[in-house]
């Protein structure tokens, strides 16, 4: 295929020159990061950024993250207002953290959804870093998916959905982490977690003890709720197949409930831990530890729809650490169809 670059073997920075030229010319490029794939455009080119919203069918009040290739770039686009923000950057960049900062005028309003802040992230993935530095501009990029669908963690899963909407595709294989970055904002000396990810509450507390987990992360949103992050308002990660999430701290109760659901729903599939597969008639394993579950989650949520089940029953995890990010995505994937016992 034209404009498809396989970086899964024999990677070198020079190979990305073509992709960088697409960014510089105002086109969209699908590229890997260590969290999920992104649909990237020149973050300072309004017309190019507009194409991202069109490609995804994304509401324009939902801001995009600006991806930088080094920490020095941050000052050009945003203001670091306090020591906590500076420490977060020093500790977690490059990595799976997006920090919401006061934006400078150079950042087009279309990037920030007309807010006075902008999310900044420096990815760790070598391909992403090289693409940004060769493009010589910050890359605005949301997760690679049509709005409302699970984020893409490999090219195969998103090719049909997106190949007609972008000018260039960089295949970097499976992404490592599998869920999107942790989004934080510092307000009045507190670090607010707006979206949980691989960088956890515990990790953030090492930088500063006051960490607040936004109440919308596991809860539902009411009509008049004020949100700190527009992304919280929208439907997310949902397969077409109906899914139900089941969680209990008590393993026996958890297994029993899933078994009952399996009996009541003949054409169903259970997504569970490898060690629990023996309890169910028809199951697929998400892995046993949180890192594997996070890595596999979106791929499995996408694959569900290819099997044609009436119901998919998903085993929840303890909502702590990376488990909080997993439960945040699963609750949404199941459209808040969640049983906790
Ligand atoms: O891991 C990631 O963060 C991936 C990769 C590609 O970097 N990107 C990603 O972008 O997940 P996106 O657009 O799918 O999610 C960004 C989230 C949205 O929920 C958005 O509302 C929130 O971050 N966000 C962005 N800028 C914000 C801002 N200025 N204030 C509050 N929330 C913001
Ligand atoms: Mg997204």
């Amino acid at each position: 295929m034209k404009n498809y670059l396989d970086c899964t073997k024999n990677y070198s920075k020079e190979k990305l020159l073509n992709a960088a030229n697409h960014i510089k010319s105002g086109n969209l490029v699908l590229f890997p990061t260590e969290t999920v794939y992104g649909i990237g455009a020149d973050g300072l080119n309004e017309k190019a950024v507009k194409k991202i919203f069109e490609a995804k069918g994304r509401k324009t009040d939902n801001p995009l993250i600006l991806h930088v290739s080094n920490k020095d770039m941050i000052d050009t686009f945003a203001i670091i207002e306090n020591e906590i923000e500076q420490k977060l950057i020093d500790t977690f960049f490059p990595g799976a953290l997006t920090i919401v900062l006061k934006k400078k005028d150079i950042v087009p309003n279309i990037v920030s959804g007309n807010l006075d802040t902008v999310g900044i992230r420096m990815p760790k993935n070598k391909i992403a870093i090289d693409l940004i530095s060769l493009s010589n501009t910050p890359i605005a990029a949301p997760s690679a998916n049509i709005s409302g669908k699970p984020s893409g963690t490999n090219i195969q899963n998103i090719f049909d959905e997106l190949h007609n909407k972008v000018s260039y595709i960089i295949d970097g294989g499976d992404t490592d982490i599998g869920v999107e970055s942790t989004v934080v904002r510092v307000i009045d000396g507190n670090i607010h977690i707006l979206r949980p990810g691989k960088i956890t509450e515990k990790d953030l507390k090492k930088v500063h003890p006051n960490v607040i987990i936004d109440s919308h992360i596991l809860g539902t949103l009411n009509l008049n709720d004020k949100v700190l992050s527009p992304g919280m308002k929208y439907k997310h990660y949902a397969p077409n197949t109906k899914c139900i999430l089941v969680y209990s701290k008590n393993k026996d109760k958890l297994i029993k409930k899933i078994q009952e659901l399996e009996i009541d729903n003949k054409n169903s599939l259970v997504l569970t831990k490898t060690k629990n597969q023996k309890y169910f008639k028809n199951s697929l394993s998400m892995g046993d530890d949180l890192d594997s579950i996070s890595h596999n989650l979106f791929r499995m949520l996408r694959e569900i729809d290819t099997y044609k089940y009436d119901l998919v029953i998903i085993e929840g995890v303890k909502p702590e650490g990376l488990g909080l990010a997993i439960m945040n995505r699963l609750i949404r994937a199941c459209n808040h169809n969640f049983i906790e016992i």
Side-chain angles (χ1 to χ4, degrees), residues 56 58 142-143 145 151 180 195 236-237:
K56 282 192 60 125
R58 178 170 171 126
S143 53
N145 54 278
S151 304
E180 309 86 345
R195 180 177 70 183
H236 270 311
Y237 319 117

Side-chain angles (χ1 to χ4, degrees), residues 123-276:
K124 209 178 223 166
N125 179 292
K126 178 105 176 67
I127 298 170
I129 290 280
D130 288 348
L131 179 67
I132 302 162
S133 81
L134 286 172
S135 305
N136 208 15
T137 188
I139 293 187
S143 53
N145 54 278
I146 296 290
S147 281
K149 293 282 140 212
S151 304
T153 55
N154 63 67
I155 291 295
Q156 292 70 36
N157 279 178
I158 48 176
F159 187 84
D160 289 346
E161 189 171 303
L162 293 173
H163 80 279
N164 282 333
K165 306 196 168 190
V166 299
S167 301
Y168 201 92
I169 296 176
I170 306 172
D171 189 347
D174 283 354
T175 63
D176 180 24
I177 296 173
V179 295
E180 309 86 345
S181 61
T182 306
V183 180
V184 296
R185 179 168 171 194
V186 177
I187 305 169
D188 296 336
N190 298 310
I191 303 174
H192 289 254
I193 302 181
L194 307 184
R195 180 177 70 183
K198 169 80 179 160
I199 292 171
T200 62
E201 177 189 15
K202 200 170 158 196
D203 298 330
L204 294 165
K205 278 189 167 160
K206 285 182 197 148
V207 168
H208 185 73
N210 305 349
V211 178
I212 297 173
I213 299 176
D214 193 280
S215 61
H216 298 114
I217 280 175
L218 294 181
T220 44
L221 192 68
N222 298 315
L223 204 59
N224 294 322
D225 282 5
K226 276 219 170 88
V227 291
L228 281 174
S229 179
M232 290 171 179
K233 293 188 299 197
Y234 297 112
K235 188 170 172 253
H236 270 311
Y237 319 117
N240 296 324
T241 311
K242 187 177 173 201
C243 298
I244 184 163
L245 177 63
V246 185
Y247 176 67
S248 175
K249 281 182 197 145
N250 178 312
K251 189 184 157 190
D252 294 339
K253 282 188 185 170
L254 177 73
I255 302 291
K256 191 165 162 268
K257 185 71 206 172
I258 297 179
Q259 284 173 335
E260 282 169 16
L261 284 166
E262 218 189 5
I263 290 167
D264 289 348
N265 296 276
K266 294 283 170 278
N267 184 29
S268 61
L269 170 73
V270 178
L271 301 188
T272 178
K273 294 191 179 129
T274 319
K275 62 178 184 214
N276 292 340

Side-chain angles (χ1 to χ4, degrees), residues 16 61 85 118 217:
L16 291 181
D61 71 347
E85 291 173 348
V118 62
I217 280 175

Side-chain angles (χ1 to χ4, degrees), residues 43-46 49 103-113:
L44 301 181
N45 177 339
E46 272 184 53
V49 174
K103 96 174 184 71
K104 287 192 174 168
D105 288 342
I106 184 177
V107 178
N109 284 328
I110 187 160
V111 171
S112 62

